[in-house]
Amino acid sequence: MFARLSTYQGSPVPPEGDLTARSEAVVKLVEHLPGFRGAYYLVDRATGRARTLTLWEDEATMVGSEEEAAQVRAESSQREGQRVVSVDHFEVAFVRLVP
C-alpha cells in the first residue's frame, strides 16, 4: 500500500462544528479512482493547519491518480481558503487499526 500526504495551511477553523460533510465531498471526487483504498483528514483547528492522507493499493495507482488529485487539491484548497504547503509520497510499511 502507498500513501500521499498533503499539507495545507489556512485560517483557523471554528472550534465547534462538524467537518465531515466537507471532507466527504472531497473524498467523493477521488474515491472512484483505480486503487483508492481510503482517506484521512487531519486538522488543527487552532492554527488552520490540515493534512490529507490518501491510501492507494500500490505505487502505480497512486502515481496514476496524481493529475486528478492535484486538481482536486487545488480546487478544494482555494474554496476553503487554504494553500497547499507540500505533497509527499510514502510506502505504507505497517498498519494496525483497532475495530
Side-chain angles (χ1 to χ4, degrees):
M1 188 176 337
F2 281 75
R4 180 184 302 113
L5 180 66
S6 303
T7 302
Y8 306 86
Q9 182 64 54
S11 299
V13 179
E16 61 282 330
D18 187 3
L19 301 174
T20 304
R22 289 181 182 170
S23 302
E24 286 181 348
V26 173
V27 169
K28 287 188 182 301
L29 299 174
V30 296
E31 69 183 356
H32 70 280
L33 295 174
F36 178 82
R37 303 283 297 185
Y40 289 88
Y41 179 54
L42 312 169
V43 62
D44 181 332
R45 289 178 186 256
T47 66
R49 188 170 183 155
R51 291 194 172 145
T52 57
L53 178 74
T54 55
L55 300 170
W56 302 91
E57 187 173 309
D58 52 38
E59 188 173 20
T61 57
M62 180 180 67
V63 170
S65 72
E66 287 294 338
E67 188 175 314
E68 193 158 347
Q71 182 178 350
V72 169
R73 247 190 326 275
E75 291 172 1
S76 63
S77 63
Q78 182 180 9
R79 184 175 53 251
E80 298 297 325
Q82 298 174 318
R83 67 179 175 83
V84 179
V85 175
S86 64
V87 179
D88 299 297
H89 303 86
F90 299 93
E91 181 175 2
V92 177
F94 177 80
V95 174
R96 178 176 301 181
L97 299 174
V98 179

